[in-house]
Amino acid sequence: MGGASLSILSPSKPIPDPDGEDLQNPSEALLQAGTKNPISSAKPPTNAILFTFILLTTSVAIAASMAFAFLFFSSSSSSQSPPPSIPSIPLHLATRPLTRLNKPVVILISSDGFRFGYQFKTPTPNIARLIANGTEAETGLIPVFPTLTFPNHYSIATGLYTPFHGIINNRFVDPASGEVFTMRSHEPKWWLGEPIWVTVANHGLRAATYFWPGSEVKKGNWSCPSNFCQNYNNSVPFEERVDTILQYFDLPISEIPVFMTLYFEDPDYQGHQVGPDDPAITEAVGRIDRMIGRLIQGLEKRGMFEDVTIMLLGDHGMVGTCDKKLIFLEDLAPWIKLPSDWVMTITPVLSIRPPSGVSPSHVVDKMNEGLSSGKVGNGKNLRVFLKEDLPERLHYKASNRIPPIIGLLEEGFKVEQTRSNEQECGGAHGYDNAFFSMRSIFIAHGPQFARGRKVPSFENVEIYNLVTSILKIKGAPTNGTASFPNSILLQS
């Protein structure tokens, strides 16, 4: 901006005339005025003319230089001063008042497998806008264990650790009935706790879900209404998902859902195929940013962007895996044989349910003996526990759905039952949530969040209480901290 001003105002450039023609250089104008003086038609001596010319030229040059210097330094000092920083609103100040909406509205967006740090892989101007004008978990959002899609999405929705909401894995067996839970199981018996859309409906308010694990399950006053609850279909274009959410804002103000979810499979899909460091991840992150931009622009067009609370997060991170990081259960045969029907899940969370009559403690002891022997490839990278002996921080024991034996892998390692000729390098998640690679993002923008604020990382079980606090409704009991919303939200 300073450079452009200088090029226009510099006396060495023609000065545009208001009528469109360029005025002459000031030195030339003065010279012409001296040589075309109408008062005297007599020709002055050559030396006098030359002296007069030099004197006038020097005077003009000095004046122009002084003017140029003044403009330059004043312009430079203006252009070189740092841009005004976005003020961080003190927590004692009130939330920003709503102008178009008559009540708070929250859009909860999940970008599956968006590992913390992905936002720096490529320019993400729309995500950056939310960060600059909102609140961000400075070193990412901490998932619950196991760091898998269904357990974490449902923890976000309920505020409960996995044993308490019942979705202990993406796939598991109920030990009492023998029935198998899969990601297509929508029977209420599997889904414990009270997800946020049910809480909203129980308060007589409207919620809308565009994909979220558990949202198709009918619970309480939530019936998954056809106009406001989409059955999962991964072939639906991301643009269509965003546009559907935007259409809700075209409803009469009193009919706009106060809570909405929006889900994208990327960049988890690419992460599994190629790991976290491939150009495909960069492309996927850019695509997510464009979808956020599409949402922002649509809300701005409706004059509602500043009224709406947007929470952008992920369910877990991603880490690279490769064949050299494999552990084969068949290699434990000298110590203990592990039939495949004992193994409930194999990687990255190894879970084993021995038949009745086989002591889980004995199995754990023999497995650890073999793994620590130095004779099992990569054995030191797998630790096996009775579930009651797992670290308390994992919160992964208080359910009979969890098998009695759990194996924890080091970052990037995988377990297989037997050797095969398949060669594989890709990405995985599900590991200990203490690994930084498992962290995702949390970015919130809206009337209740300070601009440009960074907060310490926190577990995703706190999200439920955040939403109920913003919506000013009473939530169900959770594993979250009751006071957490007070530490992150502006006071209303």
Side-chain angles (χ1 to χ4, degrees), residues 358-405:
V358 177
S359 166
S361 296
H362 173 74
V363 175
V364 168
D365 290 342
K366 299 306 291 184
M367 289 184 69
N368 283 329
E369 183 181 340
L371 293 169
S372 62
S373 68
K375 298 179 180 179
V376 175
N378 295 317
K380 64 180 181 180
N381 297 292
L382 172 63
R383 295 172 297 156
V384 183
F385 298 83
L386 291 172
K387 69 177 180 181
E388 57 265 29
D389 294 333
L390 284 168
E392 290 291 335
R393 61 181 175 77
L394 295 178
H395 304 283
Y396 199 65
K397 60 183 70 172
S399 172
N400 65 349
R401 293 179 180 180
I402 301 172
I405 299 171

Side-chain angles (χ1 to χ4, degrees), residues 65-138:
S65 298
M66 293 176 65
F68 180 86
F70 172 80
L71 290 170
F72 177 83
F73 286 113
S74 62
S75 176
S76 296
S77 62
S78 173
S79 64
Q80 291 178 5
S81 60
S85 59
I86 299 170
S88 180
I89 301 176
L91 292 182
H92 68 274
L93 295 184
T95 59
R96 302 195 293 278
L98 303 181
T99 58
R100 292 292 303 277
L101 297 175
N102 57 10
K103 54 183 175 292
V105 172
V106 175
I107 304 176
L108 185 63
I109 305 172
S110 170
S111 179
D112 199 322
F114 199 117
R115 173 175 165 170
F116 180 78
Y118 277 1
Q119 66 269 35
F120 306 119
K121 280 184 170 289
T122 188
T124 51
N126 300 296
I127 293 175
R129 180 178 176 185
L130 296 182
I131 294 173
N133 294 283
T135 297
E136 178 190 26
E138 189 167 18

Side-chain angles (χ1 to χ4, degrees), residues 146 150-152 154 162-170 172 181 190-192 396 401:
F150 267 51
N152 272 274
Y154 206 52
T162 49
F164 301 101
H165 65 53
I167 309 303
I168 56 122
N169 207 303
N170 288 340
F172 58 90
F181 172 88
W190 296 108
W191 305 83
L192 311 179
Y396 199 65
R401 293 179 180 180

Side-chain angles (χ1 to χ4, degrees), residues 253-282:
I253 293 293
S254 61
E255 297 179 21
I256 296 175
V258 302
F259 175 77
M260 310 175 201
T261 69
L262 180 58
Y263 171 81
F264 302 116
E265 291 84 359
D266 291 358
D268 181 72
Y269 174 78
Q270 295 83 0
H272 282 292
Q273 304 300 313
V274 295
D277 300 315
D278 191 89
I281 297 295
T282 304

